[in-house]
Amino acid sequence: MTEPLRVLLADDQTLVRTGFRLILGADGIDVVAEATNGAEAVEAVRRTRPDVVLMDVRMPEMDGLEATRRILAPPRAHDPVRAAETPFPDSPRVIILTTFDLDRYVYAALSAGASGFLLKDVTPEQLTAAVRTVRTGDALLAPAITRRLVERFAAGEHRHGTRHDSETAALHRDLASLTPRELEVFGLLARGLSNAELANRLHLAETTVKTHVARILAKLGLRDRVQAVIVAYETGLVSAGEREATEQTAERSTWQFTGQSIRRA
């Protein structure tokens, strides 16, 4: 029998946590811990090892963005604080869930490794489907947020809060590890093409495309396709000159909510 999904709720509002717990529990999803701030969330993840964390952005003491960074980033030898931390054996997937859809939060959350960003006005069905979606390794964003984010990347307006120069330089070096075919797949993937569309465009079997995508994510140390889009723009692999193509495929690359379920368009 498959074990139920284990979720941690991090939100400073008791009513919100209660509502989410009831919604998830009714769908057979276990809430294994709750946290009222980011610091509690980090400790609770270490203690309970959930599969998914629903993380609010604005919380006292430590906000959800910093908590996400600490949960998902590995310890660094040159950072005494991080080096002293015990690594998370199996990092959970993090969904940023907030009433604020400001782009700087979206970008910061995804750069920190979050697998999704949803607004708190989602329906119960959408929330439970989102949790199950990210647990399988896929990423999601509210469609309206995704489109605006991609457009701003294309317009070159994402530099606020972007990576340090050294990190971007490292990404450029990592791109050199990709084969010409992998680089081609990466560029199309970053424009929002699905595996089936990639296979059709490149005249490859879909299984071959899946293998290329898996290797690309592994070589670049990326968790999912959303992070791949970020890296593609930061390294200049996809540029402002390709904005029209990006806009046309932006919504196809997002998880879209329809009625009682969530599906990929």
Side-chain angles (χ1 to χ4, degrees):
M1 183 176 179
T2 303
E3 294 184 0
L5 275 171
R6 295 163 50 82
V7 173
L8 184 151
L9 300 177
D11 195 295
D12 60 336
Q13 297 184 43
T14 302
L15 187 60
V16 171
R17 297 197 311 275
T18 300
F20 287 168
R21 184 175 66 249
L22 292 174
I23 290 170
L24 296 171
D27 201 55
I29 298 173
D30 286 351
V31 174
V32 297
E34 297 182 18
T36 62
N37 60 59
E40 289 182 5
V42 173
E43 175 56 32
V45 167
R46 196 180 305 279
R47 185 179 68 254
T48 64
R49 299 183 183 181
D51 299 306
V52 177
V53 178
L54 289 176
M55 183 80 74
D56 189 25
V57 172
R58 296 188 178 183
M59 293 185 289
E61 296 186 40
M62 180 189 295
D63 65 28
L65 300 181
E66 178 59 27
T68 298
R69 294 187 190 99
R70 297 195 182 193
I71 290 169
L72 299 180
R76 299 174 181 175
H78 64 273
D79 185 335
V81 175
R82 295 303 310 282
E85 295 178 355
T86 303
F88 292 99
D90 295 303
S91 295
R93 297 281 172 168
V94 176
I95 298 176
I96 301 296
L97 190 61
T98 181
T99 56
F100 305 98
D101 64 343
L102 300 179
D103 294 319
R104 62 189 177 92
Y105 290 143
V106 179
Y107 184 75
L110 298 180
S111 295
S115 295
F117 190 108
L118 295 175
L119 303 184
K120 287 182 178 178
D121 61 0
V122 295
T123 66
E125 293 81 11
Q126 292 164 0
L127 178 63
T128 56
V131 169
R132 297 187 186 282
T133 294
V134 298
R135 182 63 182 91
T136 62
D138 287 304
L140 64 92
L141 291 172
I145 295 176
T146 303
R147 184 174 183 82
R148 186 173 68 250
L149 184 66
V150 171
E151 288 173 352
R152 294 211 173 176
F153 271 128
E157 298 173 5
H158 65 289
R159 295 305 176 186
H160 175 72
T162 192
R163 299 177 191 269
H164 296 297
D165 290 342
S166 60
E167 293 177 304
T168 302
L171 287 174
H172 276 287
R173 290 195 298 272
D174 289 342
L175 288 184
S177 68
L178 301 181
T179 66
R181 175 62 89 180
E182 288 170 347
L183 201 59
E184 183 179 18
V185 171
F186 185 32
L188 294 174
L189 179 157
R191 294 178 183 87
L193 273 67
S194 67
N195 286 343
E197 290 169 330
L198 282 167
N200 183 62
R201 176 77 67 89
L202 299 174
H203 305 291
L204 297 173
E206 192 167 345
T207 53
T208 301
V209 169
K210 289 180 180 178
T211 298
H212 282 311
V213 171
R215 287 176 178 171
I216 291 166
L217 297 181
K219 286 184 178 181
L220 299 182
L222 305 175
R223 293 171 64 87
D224 50 49
R225 289 172 179 254
V226 172
Q227 284 197 316
V229 173
I230 291 176
V231 169
Y233 278 101
E234 288 187 334
T235 59
L237 183 64
V238 177
S239 65
E242 297 161 313
R243 177 174 182 173
E244 182 178 354
T246 303
E247 288 180 353
Q248 291 173 350
T249 58
E251 292 187 0
R252 288 206 302 271
S253 65
T254 64
W255 287 90
Q256 299 185 352
F257 299 125
T258 58
Q260 300 298 310
S261 64
I262 187 170
R263 66 176 177 83
R264 197 167 195 174

